[in-house]
Amino acid sequence: MIKKAIVFMILSALAFSILNVLVKSLGRFNIYQIVFFRSIGSLLFTIPFILKNRISILGNKKTLLILRGVTGFIAMTLFFKSLTYLSMGASVSIRYISPIFATIFAVILFKENTKYLQWICFAIALIGVFVLKGFNNDLSGLGIFYAILSAVFTGLVFILIRKIGNQDHPIIVVNYFMIIASVSAGILSFSVWITPIGYEWLSLYSLGVFGYFGQYYMTKAFQTGEINQVAPLKYIEVVFTMIIGVIWLNEVYSFISLLGVALILLGLVLNYIIKQNN
């Protein structure tokens, strides 16, 4: 079963990596238009699933579902925005520091106890961010800001999903997110809309497809294998994204950039291991 779970997580990471590359390659479009197509594409999967399985589309915890949708929309928009300023490896790595902010929110809101070792791990990850920027003048400060802000809102998303708990089907949570994102992005992109040409249509609609299957295979991986064995594998998205970026978009990574990314991933993986051994 663990082998199957590993395959599922690798497929998930690969799907999300291709999504990142597609967003980066669609640079001539406004971010809101990209978010719109990313969301609409996923709705083509979630709505039929809900109807087929006769799940209540309105859900139970409507206020929390709406808040999750709004924060998710903001987090995704900020992340896509960071991709226009940074290399994909840097953007994805910084976005993954979201557990730090989720932990801070949990300490403030739920009075959760956090091990000192976890804070040390968070410090290692943050040092990685500082290394990325502090020793690399080619990296955009604005891009770093967008990526960190995206991580903050993603951390808040984790808290909201936890509050929703098992009272709503996971597909309903995703569906609220996609509906709110598609409507909001559709309205915001109206004045800056660029009509796609040729293969651009396929690229834009593929955003939703790869986004959906990335989420789907990640869920399958967690359902099939032990969480403590599978979860650290999600960080291979960074590796896949960097490799595809080098091959597809000719991105170049300096030694300092690679060191910063490595420190971020090291801090996050160690934190997960320590948390699981609580």
Side-chain angles (χ1 to χ4, degrees):
M1 294 294 280
I2 184 60
K3 288 183 179 179
K4 191 175 287 188
I6 289 172
V7 170
F8 286 145
M9 188 57 85
I10 290 173
L11 288 173
S12 170
L14 188 58
F16 280 130
S17 299
I18 295 173
L19 168 64
N20 297 334
V21 176
L22 286 171
V23 172
K24 185 81 170 179
S25 66
L26 291 165
R28 85 180 190 95
F29 295 93
N30 184 272
I31 291 300
Y32 294 120
Q33 190 170 348
I34 292 175
V35 172
F36 172 76
F37 277 100
R38 159 71 178 91
S39 307
I40 285 291
S42 290
L43 285 174
L44 296 177
F45 294 94
T46 59
I47 290 179
F49 180 91
I50 290 169
L51 295 176
K52 179 183 177 181
N53 292 277
R54 297 180 180 179
I55 302 170
S56 172
I57 199 166
L58 293 178
N60 298 309
K61 296 208 164 188
K62 299 177 184 61
T63 301
L64 287 175
L65 287 167
I66 291 171
L67 285 173
R68 185 268 180 265
V70 172
T71 53
F73 163 65
I74 295 171
M76 180 165 61
T77 301
L78 289 167
F79 171 62
F80 286 175
K81 189 72 174 174
S82 74
L83 285 172
T84 65
Y85 292 92
L86 303 174
S87 64
M88 291 185 296
S91 286
V92 175
S93 300
I94 295 171
R95 182 191 63 178
Y96 268 131
I97 67 172
S98 53
I100 298 177
F101 299 108
T103 300
I104 292 172
F105 288 136
V107 169
I108 295 172
L109 298 175
F110 306 128
K111 310 300 181 186
E112 283 191 358
N113 292 320
T114 303
K115 286 185 174 183
Y116 289 116
L117 284 176
Q118 285 183 263
W119 293 115
I120 292 174
C121 293
F122 291 154
I124 292 172
L126 288 175
I127 288 170
V129 176
F130 290 127
V131 168
L132 267 177
K133 177 55 186 168
F135 297 95
N136 194 340
N137 294 326
D138 294 332
L139 231 59
S140 165
L142 187 58
I144 295 280
F145 172 74
Y146 283 136
I148 292 176
L149 206 53
S150 173
V152 172
F153 278 94
T154 301
L156 189 55
V157 165
F158 293 157
I159 296 298
L160 289 168
I161 290 176
R162 177 178 166 183
K163 288 289 289 181
I164 293 169
N166 296 322
Q167 297 192 38
D168 278 296
H169 194 286
I171 289 293
I172 293 298
V173 179
V174 174
N175 199 58
Y176 260 84
F177 173 25
M178 292 297 101
I179 288 175
I180 289 171
S182 60
V183 171
S184 302
I187 293 171
L188 290 169
S189 65
F190 186 78
S191 61
V192 290
W193 184 271
I194 297 174
T195 301
I197 301 171
Y199 74 92
E200 290 176 340
W201 284 105
L202 178 61
S203 296
L204 285 164
Y205 277 116
S206 294
L207 295 173
V209 176
F210 285 109
Y212 175 81
F213 280 105
Q215 194 71 44
Y216 172 78
Y217 282 118
M218 184 171 67
T219 302
K220 290 285 288 182
F222 284 130
Q223 290 175 335
T224 306
E226 294 291 330
I227 291 178
N228 61 339
Q229 293 177 313
V230 174
L233 290 173
K234 68 183 178 180
Y235 297 121
I236 62 174
E237 178 191 343
V238 178
V239 179
F240 285 160
T241 298
M242 293 175 74
I243 293 172
I244 296 173
V246 169
I247 296 171
W248 191 341
L249 301 176
N250 298 315
E251 288 192 337
V252 177
Y253 291 92
S254 66
F255 171 76
I256 291 297
S257 293
L258 293 174
L259 177 61
V261 169
L263 285 171
I264 292 171
L265 296 183
L266 175 64
L268 295 173
V269 171
L270 287 177
N271 167 66
Y272 192 84
I273 293 171
I274 291 169
K275 191 174 181 181
Q276 287 303 308
N277 291 328
N278 242 338

